[in-house]
Amino acid sequence: MTTHSTASSAASSFRWLRLGAILAAATLMFAAGCKTEHKVDTNSVIEIKPIYARIDVYLKVDKELDSFFDFEETIKPHVNPDSNKKPDAGASTNGGAK
Amino acid sequence: MNRRLFMMMLLAGATALMSTTAARADEKSDLQARFKERFARLSQLRGDGTVGETWEGWVKSLKEAAPEIAALIEAENTDRAKLCAIIAKEIGATPEEVGRRNALRIFRSAEPNHYLMTDNGKWVQKKDLKSKE
């Protein structure tokens, strides 16, 4: 009687254990299926640096050009404001220019 | 002996650097003198609509240019190219970038009746130009 009862109890606990394992596996699979991913794109940080570098270069170029051509301010000729002559229609845009 | 050799190499390097800098300064000074010489005539031609300025930093004629004007344009553009190359080398930019910055400088200082060529390749008087700045 005692032996039968012990065997029955062991079988019952094994069933519960199996059920628990199945439930745990199902929960894990469900959780994995519902998982969301968040990726933060940091590429813009990398691209900002060259832009700043270019601005810095442009500022230096502007300063150099302003200093080189500062004579233009002193010898600026008189400008006739009525001189609004239009160029010929279909005129050539060549003339040694690059 | 090694120390003497090192000092000699250092001295040679410094001399080379100084002579390069001096040569560049001389070249810039010569260029500036030539720009100054042409400036008044070029301003006159800009004012009467014979020549205009492009967004890339070149001076161009708007109509068939007389030989004297064509030669002036050629000389001006040649010197601008030289200047752009010098400044580009000094600062670490490209000559094209320096040219475009120079064009911006010229566009800013242009008179309302001056002709400017924008990046769409069309001539427009400054007074009709819608600035993006």
Side-chain angles (χ1 to χ4, degrees):
Chain A
M1 181 74 182
T2 319
T3 315
H4 177 73
S5 169
T6 312
S8 167
S9 167
S12 170
S13 70
F14 177 72
R15 257 201 309 269
W16 279 111
L17 203 68
R18 202 170 61 177
L19 190 66
I22 289 166
L23 272 172
T27 311
L28 273 173
M29 281 166 75
F30 181 73
C34 293
K35 196 183 113 187
T36 56
E37 274 187 38
H38 299 282
K39 276 188 181 175
V40 179
D41 193 2
T42 53
N43 280 350
S44 56
V45 176
I46 298 163
E47 284 168 17
I48 286 168
K49 275 188 178 175
I51 295 167
Y52 277 126
R54 281 346 275 168
I55 291 169
D56 188 43
V57 166
Y58 291 164
L59 287 174
K60 284 181 187 166
V61 170
D62 289 352
K63 201 175 160 190
E64 192 67 29
L65 287 168
D66 285 342
S67 149
F68 185 87
F69 288 103
D70 64 351
F71 65 86
E72 289 184 356
E73 288 303 312
T74 54
I75 54 170
K76 215 163 198 175
H78 171 71
V79 178
N80 179 12
D82 298 329
S83 179
N84 289 332
K85 208 165 71 177
K86 288 242 173 197
D88 299 342
S92 160
T93 54
N94 230 326
K98 303 210 169 174
Chain B
M1 183 64 187
N2 273 348
R3 192 175 163 173
R4 201 170 160 185
L5 189 70
F6 175 74
M7 288 303 284
M8 278 171 72
M9 281 171 70
L10 197 70
L11 194 70
T15 313
L17 188 73
M18 276 163 64
S19 60
T20 311
T21 313
R24 208 175 279 168
D26 277 355
E27 202 178 347
K28 273 173 94 173
S29 171
D30 289 347
L31 280 172
Q32 196 178 43
R34 294 204 291 272
F35 279 119
K36 262 185 199 174
E37 251 175 54
R38 286 188 297 263
F39 183 67
R41 178 75 178 121
L42 209 55
S43 297
Q44 189 190 0
L45 292 170
R46 282 188 198 125
D48 64 22
T50 306
V51 301
E53 295 286 343
T54 74
W55 68 281
E56 288 170 304
W58 307 116
V59 62
K60 243 180 171 181
S61 65
L62 281 96
K63 45 194 153 193
E64 199 64 47
E68 173 256 328
I69 296 167
L72 183 89
I73 291 169
E74 184 68 41
E76 177 73 13
N77 284 334
T78 304
D79 282 349
R80 282 187 191 183
K82 282 179 189 167
L83 179 70
C84 289
I86 292 171
I87 293 177
K89 205 171 178 183
E90 280 176 355
I91 288 171
T94 66
E96 291 77 20
E97 282 175 323
V98 179
R100 284 195 287 272
R101 298 309 296 179
N102 192 33
L104 271 176
R105 186 189 65 79
I106 295 167
F107 277 27
R108 278 192 205 106
S109 64
E111 300 295 337
N113 64 322
H114 286 182
Y115 281 93
L116 310 171
M117 187 191 272
T118 55
D119 53 2
N120 64 9
K122 287 181 181 164
W123 287 112
V124 61
Q125 281 189 305
K126 190 183 171 181
K127 62 182 178 185
D128 301 324
L129 188 71
K130 286 177 180 68
S131 175
K132 285 178 188 172
E133 289 182 330

